[in-house]
Amino acid sequence: MNKNVIIIGGGIIGLSSGYYLYQNGYNVTILEKGDFANACSKGNQGWVCPALHTPVPEPGLVGSSIKWLMKKDSPLYIKPSAVPRLSGWVSQFLKHCNEKDFKAGKDALHSLSNSTFKLYDSLKADGLNFEMHREGMLFVFLNNNELKQGINKFIQGSKLYGHEPPTILSGDEVRKLEPNISNKVVGGLLLKEQRHVNPESVSKAFVEILKSRGVCLRSNTEVTEIERQDNKIMAIMSDEERFEADTFLLTAGAWSGYLAKKFDYNLPIQAGKGYSITINNPTLKFKHPIYLGDTKAGISPYKGSARIGGTMELSGINLSMDKNRIQGVRNSVSKYLNEELRGDSEIEWTGMRPMTPDGLPVLGLIPNFKNAFVATGHGMVGVSMAPTTGKIMADLINSGTTDFDIEPFDPNRFTK
Ligand SMILES: Cc1cc2nc3c(=O)[nH]c(=O)nc-3n(C[C@H](O)[C@H](O)[C@H](O)COP(=O)(O)OP(=O)(O)OC[C@H]3O[C@@H](n4cnc5c(N)ncnc54)[C@H](O)[C@@H]3O)c2cc1C
């Protein structure tokens, strides 16, 4: 008889895990407190860009960002009223802003991301119908120093991790590729093999294929309690129902920390709040996803729309739309364009990136349990890493092991 797995959280990580578990012959149920993929997995930039996979805590971040930290329209902002609640997490985060941890984190992320394109292609081959673009990823800069640093970073990255070397572009060459980029841009670089997807289309494709294969998807079902016997989870509960299974997988994104407490597991996840604005039928057209190097914001073109987004705000889990932050995103993008990006209509959005203090995902068995797993903490790169993560979790649940090196993502590392 097939074994039963229950997944808690129906974002892109839960959906992808459900997909690979189903492929391994499991009876899968996914419980989602709201609508599927309606939290951070919606509204993001959709970059599938393994060359960019680095831990968020990086050397020099503290120095260069200190001027931003309390400024309401800056790329990184800590809400003063949230500081007491966040201080433990922030001090752990700051400890990881050093060369050694950053290099180790990059190595770990890149060892997983080598499979990203192959797995995205295999999803297409299996009939998932989603919007994926292969025009590469364009990085543009207003400042020569930042440009130089960007070029060096990706030359080094290509040597160390095997992604394509950057094609270096003058300002005019950038404008040849993207005529709406302003004369203020001094140059850029193109990573030709990187991709981007429309993230909503990926989640929708997962939902459709899972439903068509008989996977049980339950929306509006919030998991509130667990029932345990020693080191085994027997069932989980919503307010109205009790669900039994052989194995449980926690993929609740930024909310995973709350639920982890029910497992007596102290998982340090904070929400890294970001904003985006989706502009329908935009007045300016773009061919490439564009990383705006100096302001850390981005533009993603999709069929019929363009999305601008960015910023990182540490203010706890809350979906309030801070107009200053949204205006900050608009201003960051305007600096790079010849004219204002407008359209028929706009959707402003905010999402909670699940952030660990070392900038690495958490993948594996929940400490002290033998049938409860966790997959979260993907920060800025959850869409890109979703297929690899899903495959890893299915491997682990199925056989207790995986070919990927997952030691750096050990859920136990916070308890040591
Ligand atoms: C502005 C912005 C831009 C981004 N751009 C990119 C990008 O270009 N490329 C990239 O790879 N990543 C990007 N990201 C990051 C990416 O969006 C996230 O890493 C990813 O969506 C996380 O997915 P998740 O499934 O872990 O979390 P979520 O999508 O948040 O899903 C978690 C789900 O769990 C549910 N849940 C929570 N608690 C419970 C409960 N008790 N019971 C049941 N369900 C529960 C929630 O409702 C939610 O649906 C971006 C993020 C932001 C904010």
Side-chain angles (χ1 to χ4, degrees), residues 47 54 56 291 311-312 353-355 377-384:
W47 297 348
T54 53
V56 179
Y291 183 86
T311 84
M312 176 74 78
R353 302 177 185 95
M355 308 275 298
H378 293 77
M380 321 255 273
V381 293
V383 176
S384 199

Side-chain angles (χ1 to χ4, degrees), residues 183-337:
N183 282 331
K184 287 190 218 128
V185 165
V186 294
L189 60 97
L190 180 67
L191 293 177
K192 287 183 180 160
E193 287 166 20
Q194 310 298 302
R195 304 183 188 175
H196 77 290
V197 293
N198 177 323
E200 288 85 343
S201 77
V202 178
S203 305
K204 189 164 169 258
F206 271 128
V207 166
E208 276 169 6
I209 206 147
L210 290 173
K211 275 187 179 161
S212 75
R213 291 176 179 177
V215 169
C216 176
L217 299 181
R218 294 277 305 263
S219 55
N220 301 313
T221 307
E222 178 169 4
V223 174
T224 49
E225 280 305 332
I226 67 167
E227 192 183 299
R228 67 187 285 179
Q229 217 169 67
D230 303 322
N231 58 357
K232 200 169 170 211
I233 301 295
M234 308 307 289
I236 55 175
M237 267 79 73
S238 71
D239 283 348
E240 275 125 35
E241 274 176 86
R242 181 176 177 278
F243 300 87
E244 286 183 3
D246 303 295
T247 306
F248 299 85
L249 170 60
L250 175 60
T251 57
W255 294 264
S256 301
Y258 295 145
L259 278 168
K261 286 201 173 77
K262 309 264 176 205
F263 295 77
D264 294 328
Y265 172 39
N266 185 15
L267 172 63
I269 290 272
Q270 279 298 336
K273 187 173 181 179
Y275 291 90
S276 75
I277 304 149
T278 304
I279 297 140
N280 294 313
N281 200 12
T283 46
L284 308 180
K285 307 280 186 244
F286 302 93
K287 286 197 203 87
H288 306 83
I290 310 176
Y291 183 86
L292 309 169
D294 322 70
T295 61
K296 324 257 179 258
I299 304 174
S300 297
Y302 304 124
K303 285 180 192 154
S305 66
R307 178 169 293 160
I308 61 175
T311 84
M312 176 74 78
E313 174 182 322
L314 297 171
S315 58
I317 293 186
N318 67 84
L319 291 173
S320 61
M321 302 289 276
D322 183 331
K323 289 290 168 192
N324 286 313
R325 307 282 309 151
I326 294 173
Q327 192 54 44
V329 172
R330 290 182 197 277
N331 296 345
S332 299
V333 174
S334 297
K335 286 182 197 164
Y336 292 79
L337 301 180

Side-chain angles (χ1 to χ4, degrees), residues 12-13 32-33 40-41 44-47 223 379-384:
I12 189 118
I13 299 297
E32 163 54 50
K33 75 181 167 81
C40 200
S41 300
N44 63 69
Q45 299 279 160
W47 297 348
V223 174
M380 321 255 273
V381 293
V383 176
S384 199

Side-chain angles (χ1 to χ4, degrees), residues 96-146:
H96 290 287
C97 291
N98 65 68
E99 289 291 349
K100 186 167 159 268
D101 289 357
F102 185 63
K103 168 77 171 56
K106 265 198 312 188
D107 291 351
L109 290 169
H110 281 278
S111 83
L112 302 196
S113 56
N114 285 338
S115 313
T116 303
F117 296 144
K118 206 171 60 198
L119 290 177
Y120 259 104
D121 287 341
S122 71
L123 295 177
K124 281 265 179 198
D126 191 32
L128 275 83
N129 182 14
F130 57 91
E131 187 183 330
M132 179 156 66
H133 299 263
R134 298 162 188 263
E135 285 81 8
M137 175 98 208
L138 182 63
F139 298 73
V140 301
F141 297 86
L142 299 168
N143 171 300
N144 273 311
N145 270 345
E146 301 269 356

